[in-house]
Amino acid sequence: MPKMTPFDRVMTTIRGQLPDRVPVIPQITYATAQLTGLGLVEALHSAPKTAAALLAGQRELGYDAVYVGWESSFNLLAEAMGCTMRFPENDLPQVAEHVVRSPNDLDKVKMPDPHSTARLPLRMETVKLVKQKTQGRVPLFGYVPGPFTLAGQLCGVTQLMIATLRNPQFVHDLTQLATTASVAYAKAIVEAGIDVTVAADPTASASLISPQMFATFAAPALRTVLHAAETAGAVPSLHICGQTTPILEAMCSTGTCILEVDHLVDLSKAKQLVGQRVTLLGNINSTDTLLKGSPKTVTEAAKFCIHQAAAGGRFILSSGCDVPAATPLANIRAMVAAAQRYGRYD
Ligand SMILES: [Zn+2]
């Protein structure tokens, strides 16, 4: 039988069938700057430089997909919707001033066009460049802002949290604006070549809000975004950081095909609860194991994840969250080697 391409391996898994082995996809973007000798910041304003680093990562480290990102989609959209950014010399940009400073500011929020507003076209160009080079052999994952978290970028997380108690209508209205922007962005990146849209919603984590609040404020908007992405032709995935065990069922009800779970989630428990309905993706500790650990500890952690969740398929070995910029690439190599060695189905 001919060797499976990474694309076939990942899509076979998502369909619930058994591939040749467990796919391995670290959530790595800017850490690939190490391979091209470019700093985090130098690549920030150049689609060809970003694409070159992302492609070098997949080619040289051998994992099964490319997360086409660098700066977060939250930042890109927050700026495009009217927030002021600060650009530190040695770090990724941050929101300097929120566009919404009181409930009366909702009309100050701009509705961006992904093809022309602020730095959004740069991301579209990066996706197209990576697609041209990978030609469908490797699937492309692309982050899309979870509307609840994007709302927090627009008004400040503290203000958002207070408003969930004192002014829920404001939260709904702002999240609605964020949803509209996120849907347009999702459609545009799918059109540019993204195969799997990853709605990221870190502020909706059960580490931060109750399951009841998740159901009220975050889940309906996620459902809208993921449905739009799927209609546009992509596989929907949902990424929520931190502890999400209490909301695993609710996360599934957003219609996602993939659940990206962080290291705080017990994978075997997640497998038992929702492993028949979705593909689980996770969950080696990004900081303690990938950033600070050694190839040996990474191998052990990868084996443990495989042991917990690989049986019967529907599992992708990954980091729990973003791979930090300074992560030793030897650790990523160890992770890939572990999937190749211990994740075989045949
Ligand atoms: Zn995360």
Side-chain angles (χ1 to χ4, degrees):
M1 218 170 73
K3 222 177 143 224
M4 277 191 134
T5 64
F7 187 90
D8 292 338
R9 183 173 296 124
V10 172
M11 294 305 163
T12 300
T13 301
I14 292 167
R15 280 196 303 269
Q17 297 160 347
L18 282 188
D20 54 350
R21 64 160 168 83
V22 169
V24 53
I25 314 176
Q27 295 166 44
I28 184 171
T29 56
Y30 39 70
T32 59
Q34 295 177 52
L35 288 166
T36 54
L38 270 182
L40 205 63
V41 178
E42 288 170 274
L44 201 58
H45 303 286
S46 159
K49 285 177 184 171
T50 304
L54 295 173
L55 287 162
Q58 195 279 326
R59 196 176 55 237
E60 294 184 29
L61 305 175
Y63 40 79
D64 288 307
V66 178
Y67 273 86
V68 186
W70 201 269
E71 186 178 358
S72 77
S73 59
F74 294 111
N75 267 1
L76 294 178
L77 273 176
E79 183 186 28
M81 295 174 83
C83 293
T84 315
M85 307 300 290
R86 99 166 59 84
F87 293 84
E89 241 172 75
N90 298 310
D91 205 353
L92 294 173
Q94 294 146 8
V95 171
E97 214 173 300
H98 301 292
V99 59
V100 176
R101 295 205 258 168
S102 85
N104 303 324
D105 287 343
L106 282 175
D107 59 355
K108 291 187 181 156
V109 177
K110 297 176 200 149
M111 224 12 92
D113 175 350
H115 301 290
S116 61
T117 310
R119 291 175 299 138
L120 295 177
L122 204 64
R123 177 59 53 86
M124 302 306 145
E125 196 190 335
T126 307
V127 174
K128 285 180 192 160
L129 288 172
V130 175
K131 191 72 173 187
Q132 270 169 26
K133 297 281 185 195
T134 47
Q135 304 223 333
R137 193 183 56 81
V138 179
L140 307 190
F141 283 46
Y143 291 109
V144 174
F148 184 70
T149 301
L150 179 55
Q153 290 279 87
L154 298 174
C155 74
V157 176
T158 309
Q159 197 188 328
L160 185 76
M161 290 297 174
I162 294 169
T164 56
L165 303 171
R166 294 198 188 151
N167 191 354
Q169 191 54 48
F170 164 74
V171 180
H172 284 300
D173 292 345
L174 186 57
T175 303
Q176 183 54 50
L177 292 173
T179 304
T180 307
S182 197
V183 162
Y185 178 83
K187 286 181 180 166
I189 61 168
V190 174
E191 209 176 287
I194 288 294
D195 302 296
V196 178
T197 47
V198 183
D201 215 352
T203 306
S205 171
S207 296
L208 294 175
I209 63 174
S210 70
Q212 179 54 42
M213 280 167 74
F214 176 78
T216 306
F217 295 111
L222 283 169
R223 205 169 291 130
T224 303
V225 172
L226 291 174
H227 180 71
E230 192 168 26
T231 306
V235 174
S237 180
L238 178 55
H239 176 108
I240 302 185
C241 318
Q243 181 52 274
T244 52
T245 309
I247 55 169
L248 286 175
E249 299 273 356
M251 286 168 75
C252 284
S253 74
T254 61
T256 191
C257 292
I258 304 175
L259 271 197
E260 306 190 359
V261 292
D262 208 344
H263 72 273
L264 291 173
V265 174
D266 179 331
L267 261 190
S268 51
K269 190 166 182 193
K271 182 83 174 179
Q272 193 192 336
L273 284 171
V274 297
Q276 299 295 317
R277 288 147 64 190
V278 292
T279 294
L280 291 168
L281 182 148
N283 71 347
I284 298 176
N285 190 319
S286 296
T287 312
D288 289 354
T289 309
L290 285 175
L291 175 66
K292 298 179 187 164
S294 65
K296 191 161 176 273
T297 52
V298 170
T299 304
E300 287 310 311
K303 276 169 80 174
F304 186 57
C305 290
I306 291 169
H307 170 73
Q308 284 180 301
R314 282 200 190 278
F315 175 63
I316 297 173
L317 179 64
S318 183
S319 44
C321 197
D322 256 8
V323 172
T327 299
L329 297 184
N331 287 351
I332 303 297
R333 287 196 173 90
M335 182 178 167
V336 172
Q340 290 168 345
R341 185 153 178 203
Y342 305 107
R344 300 208 66 85
Y345 284 114
D346 47 17

